Amino acid sequence: MKSISAALWSEILKVRRSKIFWITILVFLFIPFMMGLLMFIQKYPEIASKLGMIGTKASMLRFGKADWLTYLGLLTQTVAGIGLIGFGFVTSWVFGREYSDHTAKDMLALPVSRSLIVLSKFIVVAIWCILLTFIFFVFGLIIGGMIHISGWSYVMALHYAYRFTATSMLTILLCTPVGFFASYGRGYLPPVGFVIFTLIVAQFSGLVGLGPYFPWAIPGLYSVAGSAGNSQLAVVSYIILFLISVLGLIGTVAWWRFADQY
Amino acid sequence: MDEIIKTENLTKHYGNVHAVEGVSLNVKKGEIYGFLGLNGAGKTTTIRMLLGMIRPFSGISFIYSKRVDAGSYDLWKNVGYLVEVPYSYPELTVRENLEIIRRLRHISDAKSVDAIIDKLRLLPYQERRAGHLSLGNAQRLGLAKALMHNPDILILDEPANGLDPVGIVEIRELLRNLAFNNGVTIFISSHILGEISKFATRIGIIHEGRLIQEVNTNQLDKLCRKRLLLNAVDKKAVIAILVKNGYSVDFIDDNTLEIKSDRAINHPEEIATMLVHAGLPPTLLKVEEEDLESYFLRTISTDRGAK
């Protein structure tokens, strides 16, 4: 208990002091702002056009009505994509920086097991990502309120809060393989490359209808499933995602424990 | 229990490269073991194996008779270490970096951070970010992290790197005091024999991955070669008379004569008398002892020749 709290304390300190922490918060504030802007253009195309904003292109986007139902759906879909990149980036930093800054060696011969160090890193990644998710959703609601989107209902908001949270959690679960690639590749580049690779394959798997079986496509599919029960996902989809997550965790712990550390 | 650090046939290969080959050594309590070798000789690889950071290809190492393994983290309670260039979290201050180590090492006394800052003279820099430290102060911070928990064993890889001459003396005195007065066992690597011989009690020379010699520092004098250097106006006549008297004489680079025999080294006065009586007074007569670096280079080149 003493070890895990010490490891968590030090991981949280490193995150708090990093610039990257504040940059990710800014990014996760910026995206709902952009979503709000799209809704604004949808709602008031003539004002937007007068203001010289995006105009024709935005009105061509045609993502439905400018109401809360569309807006909350859009936010939920966005978090699946942005989460894969953003949470992947967060994980790459938490693990990769120890190699880029050559500080990993200071954590290898301590009276704290390496598994606990890895575990505390993943806990901090999860806390960081949950915080980003929360900021994203709450700021999204505030922006939506500010531009007076129509069709608000608490029941619908609660429903989407649930879907949004579930989408985010599924995305966060996919951080563990990124941690493995950061440790295996000893830096930022391999895990970031891995994240980009998964994004590309996720798009492709969607095209060929294998999305429900490709873990990195599952959060996106979950987010668009809607309330009508028209989900492409099956129980096995969730099992695959959990298995990948567990495998990523075990792989990272095993790498720290058994691989040669330079 | 007298053997605090022990390795048996420690070997590590990277493909065809034999980084460390059958290194067996032991370090007793309170000893300062100087691990000497050129860059790439296998010092850091050995240290990483000693600390469980890399797995030996074959062989075992023990600390307090317990086998070193990546999973045996309890072993490190009483071990302080520094491997290669020490790095710290650049965005954290000196104090915060030390606070992390204090917690990870389960040191309950929060004042131990102040104590080590004071000991390593880091007080003026305690609120400075580690990324803004000079090389010497970054090295001190690395040492502070290794020493904060008052370990019984110190494993240090070239700790004097980047320190100025005053810093080198300070660290040497600090380590000497820890070993001689507190019984701390120190395993320290270096590539400078002159430096390490000033405080190590025993020295192991590693070359191309193999431990080629172990010597007690107090025996180093005996191992360093001595020679008698001699010069005179009429060198030919001097050589003739010396050879006639059974001495073997060589020329060395600056046209000085060199005699390596013990008789000449122990009794240079006999040669002086002989030459003066022959009307050939020496212009130079000096017993010179090989310096430690020459000894080190000779040892490793002999090893190269032997192979």
Side-chain angles (χ1 to χ4, degrees):
Chain A
M1 201 58 206
K2 211 171 163 186
S3 295
I4 189 87
S5 66
L8 271 175
W9 185 91
S10 62
E11 291 304 324
I12 289 169
L13 178 68
K14 289 181 224 172
V15 170
R16 269 173 47 217
R17 287 279 184 275
S18 70
K19 283 194 190 106
I20 208 80
F21 175 63
W22 303 104
I23 291 171
T24 55
I25 288 181
L26 281 179
V27 170
F28 273 71
L29 283 173
F30 179 72
I31 289 161
F33 175 77
M34 292 300 287
M35 297 292 111
L37 195 65
L38 281 178
M39 294 310 287
F40 180 80
I41 292 163
Q42 185 84 349
K43 197 176 173 197
Y44 309 107
E46 59 295 339
I47 299 177
S49 152
K50 269 184 200 164
L51 290 172
M53 293 158 77
I54 334 164
T56 10
K57 271 190 186 168
S59 56
M60 279 162 64
L61 286 173
R62 304 247 171 261
F63 43 76
K65 290 180 199 164
D67 58 8
W68 277 100
L69 187 70
T70 311
Y71 180 59
L72 290 171
L74 192 66
L75 282 181
T76 308
Q77 285 168 43
T78 312
V79 84
I82 294 301
L84 276 184
I85 302 169
F87 303 162
F89 189 77
V90 162
T91 319
S92 303
W93 184 82
V94 167
F95 283 88
R97 69 87 42 98
E98 302 288 356
Y99 296 96
S100 301
D101 289 336
H102 307 282
T103 44
K105 61 188 176 192
D106 279 352
M107 291 188 290
L108 298 172
L110 292 173
V112 174
S113 86
R114 296 183 197 172
S115 315
L116 275 186
I117 301 249
V118 171
L119 199 65
S120 64
K121 280 190 175 295
F122 278 126
I123 292 173
V124 165
V125 165
I127 295 172
W128 186 345
C129 295
I130 289 168
L131 181 73
L132 291 177
T133 304
F134 182 76
I135 287 171
F136 189 95
F137 193 71
V138 171
F139 192 63
L141 289 183
I142 293 170
I143 293 274
M146 278 166 67
I147 54 173
H148 302 296
I149 300 174
S150 57
W152 169 264
S153 98
Y154 278 107
V155 178
M156 182 183 65
L158 268 178
H159 170 76
Y160 268 100
Y162 169 76
R163 291 204 75 80
F164 183 89
T165 310
T167 305
S168 309
M169 292 305 140
L170 291 176
T171 317
I172 291 171
L173 281 173
L174 291 171
C175 285
T176 58
V178 182
F180 171 78
F181 280 101
S183 309
Y184 175 79
R186 303 178 203 283
Y188 303 112
L189 213 53
V192 169
F194 172 74
V195 168
I196 294 169
F197 175 76
T198 56
L199 273 175
I200 295 168
V201 181
Q203 293 297 319
F204 182 74
S205 68
L207 287 176
V208 296
L210 289 172
Y213 310 103
F214 185 66
W216 289 270
I218 292 168
L221 289 174
Y222 178 86
S223 74
V224 293
S227 48
N230 56 350
S231 173
Q232 297 176 41
L233 299 174
V235 177
V236 71
S237 309
Y238 300 103
I239 294 173
I240 289 172
L241 192 144
F242 277 104
L243 274 180
I244 283 291
S245 183
V246 172
L247 218 67
L249 176 67
I250 293 172
T252 317
V253 169
W255 177 263
W256 277 64
R257 168 71 178 75
F258 297 108
D260 281 356
Q261 307 287 333
Y262 301 102
Chain B
M1 205 56 199
D2 207 26
E3 285 173 346
I4 305 293
I5 301 172
K6 186 176 178 189
T7 73
E8 281 175 8
N9 250 332
L10 219 49
T11 300
K12 183 74 184 177
H13 296 170
Y14 296 106
N16 292 329
V17 180
H18 293 199
V20 173
E21 190 68 50
V23 168
S24 298
L25 51 83
N26 63 71
V27 188
K28 295 191 176 67
K29 187 168 170 55
E31 219 174 18
I32 303 179
Y33 189 100
F35 196 46
L36 192 74
L38 300 174
N39 293 334
K43 302 188 293 288
T44 302
T45 306
T46 306
I47 284 180
R48 283 187 183 269
M49 284 192 279
L50 262 181
L51 289 166
M53 292 180 181
I54 55 178
R55 193 183 295 269
F57 179 76
S58 63
I60 320 169
S61 40
F62 299 94
I63 285 186
Y64 281 128
S65 308
K66 286 181 195 155
R67 189 179 177 150
V68 172
D69 176 85
S72 47
Y73 54 90
D74 262 356
L75 266 182
W76 312 121
K77 265 183 200 156
N78 295 315
V79 179
Y81 69 95
L82 186 153
V83 180
E84 289 183 308
V85 183
Y87 287 94
S88 299
Y89 297 106
E91 69 279 13
L92 302 188
T93 64
V94 166
R95 178 169 281 280
E96 286 169 334
N97 270 292
L98 290 170
E99 188 61 31
I100 284 182
I101 296 295
R102 180 182 79 80
R103 289 176 189 248
L104 290 175
R105 287 209 171 270
H106 307 323
I107 307 170
S108 50
D109 182 9
K111 284 183 182 157
S112 55
V113 171
D114 295 303
I116 199 68
I117 283 178
D118 192 42
K119 203 173 200 172
L120 271 299
R121 298 181 193 278
L122 283 165
L123 204 60
Y125 314 102
Q126 58 173 335
E127 299 304 335
R128 190 176 289 188
R129 289 185 179 194
H132 296 156
L133 289 178
S134 67
L135 192 62
N137 284 326
Q139 192 78 16
R140 280 169 195 271
L141 177 55
L143 278 164
K145 290 196 280 188
L147 294 168
M148 193 184 352
H149 55 301
N150 298 319
D152 297 333
I153 302 173
L154 273 173
I155 298 175
L156 307 172
D157 191 7
E158 313 230 4
N161 267 355
L163 292 175
D164 57 28
V166 177
I168 291 175
V169 175
E170 265 174 35
I171 298 304
R172 188 197 303 153
E173 290 310 310
L174 178 71
L175 296 180
R176 205 204 301 256
N177 180 42
L178 286 174
F180 298 158
N181 298 329
N182 301 1
V184 174
T185 307
I186 302 177
F187 185 87
I188 180 169
S189 82
S190 175
H191 58 273
I192 305 168
L193 178 58
E195 169 55 32
I196 204 98
S197 67
K198 287 184 183 134
F199 67 113
T201 47
R202 204 145 57 92
I203 284 171
I205 297 178
I206 183 169
H207 184 60
E208 293 178 355
R210 291 177 312 111
L211 188 67
I212 56 170
Q213 193 173 62
E214 271 188 309
V215 57
N216 287 330
T217 323
N218 55 17
Q219 290 173 338
L220 263 181
D221 276 353
K222 289 175 197 152
L223 293 167
C224 285
R225 277 184 189 161
K226 287 178 185 162
R227 59 183 182 172
L228 180 74
L229 298 180
L230 178 71
N231 219 334
V233 178
D234 187 351
K235 291 189 189 70
K236 278 187 183 167
V238 167
I239 292 172
I241 197 165
L242 286 171
V243 170
K244 195 177 149 197
N245 282 281
Y247 292 101
S248 166
V249 188
D250 293 314
F251 266 110
I252 55 171
D253 16 322
D254 60 347
N255 234 3
T256 306
L257 302 174
E258 177 196 67
I259 308 173
K260 288 177 185 162
S261 78
D262 287 347
R263 191 176 134 209
I265 290 159
N266 295 331
H267 299 286
E269 75 285 356
E270 285 180 5
I271 291 178
T273 311
M274 182 201 316
L275 293 178
V276 169
H277 284 167
L280 298 163
T283 54
L284 169 81
L285 189 69
K286 176 170 96 167
V287 176
E288 191 182 74
E289 187 171 301
E290 179 183 40
D291 68 22
L292 291 168
E293 293 318 316
S294 311
Y295 169 73
F296 171 44
L297 293 173
R298 178 164 60 82
T299 309
I300 59 176
S301 60
T302 310
D303 174 67
R304 204 173 276 155
K307 282 202 291 179

